């Protein structure tokens, strides 16, 4: 499935717009981080990457349910709350059918 941040897909005309689709993934870890900042950032980066992969998979699954073969205008939002220890990644875009 093609997923792009642009409103069009070069060389693939959009035939039908099916609606907005999204995917979200959340992680929550209670307790303070007690290791070095370098390890903290490496761990945080790995967590965000895994959550992002999961959110994109949910976006694809939701687009497939609408019989889409692409998503345009995709936007990724990452929120990290150091107080609660939560990380959330959400992806939103428009499911479309385009000529392949």
């Amino acid at each position: 499935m093609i997923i792009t941040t642009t409103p069009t897909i070069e060389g693939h005309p959009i035939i039908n717009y099916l609606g907005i689709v999204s995917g979200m993934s959340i992680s929550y870890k209670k307790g303070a981080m007690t290791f070095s900042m370098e390890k903290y950032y490496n761990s945080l980066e790995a967590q965000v990457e895994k959550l992002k992969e999961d959110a994109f998979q949910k976006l694809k699954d939701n687009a497939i349910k609408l019989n889409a073969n692409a998503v345009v205008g995709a936007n990724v939002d990452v929120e990290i709350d150091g107080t609660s220890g939560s990380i959330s990644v959400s992806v939103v875009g428009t499911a479309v059918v385009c000529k392949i």
Side-chain angles (χ1 to χ4, degrees), residues 17-100:
Y17 291 85
L18 303 173
I20 295 171
V21 288
S22 64
M24 178 180 259
S25 190
I26 300 171
S27 173
Y28 176 77
K29 292 191 177 190
K30 192 170 179 156
M33 301 287 186
T34 57
F35 40 83
S36 74
M37 289 305 283
E38 183 178 346
K39 286 183 182 178
Y40 171 76
Y41 286 120
N42 288 341
S43 172
L44 186 62
E45 184 177 11
Q47 288 177 56
V48 169
E49 197 58 38
K50 180 168 179 354
L51 292 170
K52 189 171 80 170
E53 288 174 16
D54 186 51
F56 268 102
Q57 186 59 55
K58 290 175 181 176
L59 175 86
K60 288 179 193 178
D61 292 344
N62 288 329
I64 289 168
K65 287 177 186 174
L66 296 177
N67 296 314
N69 64 356
V71 176
V72 296
N75 183 33
V76 180
D77 183 50
V78 178
E79 293 186 27
I80 300 170
D81 184 343
T83 305
S84 70
S86 68
I87 303 169
S88 67
V89 176
S90 60
V91 185
V92 178
T94 302
V96 299
V97 174
C98 65
K99 193 170 187 176
I100 299 291

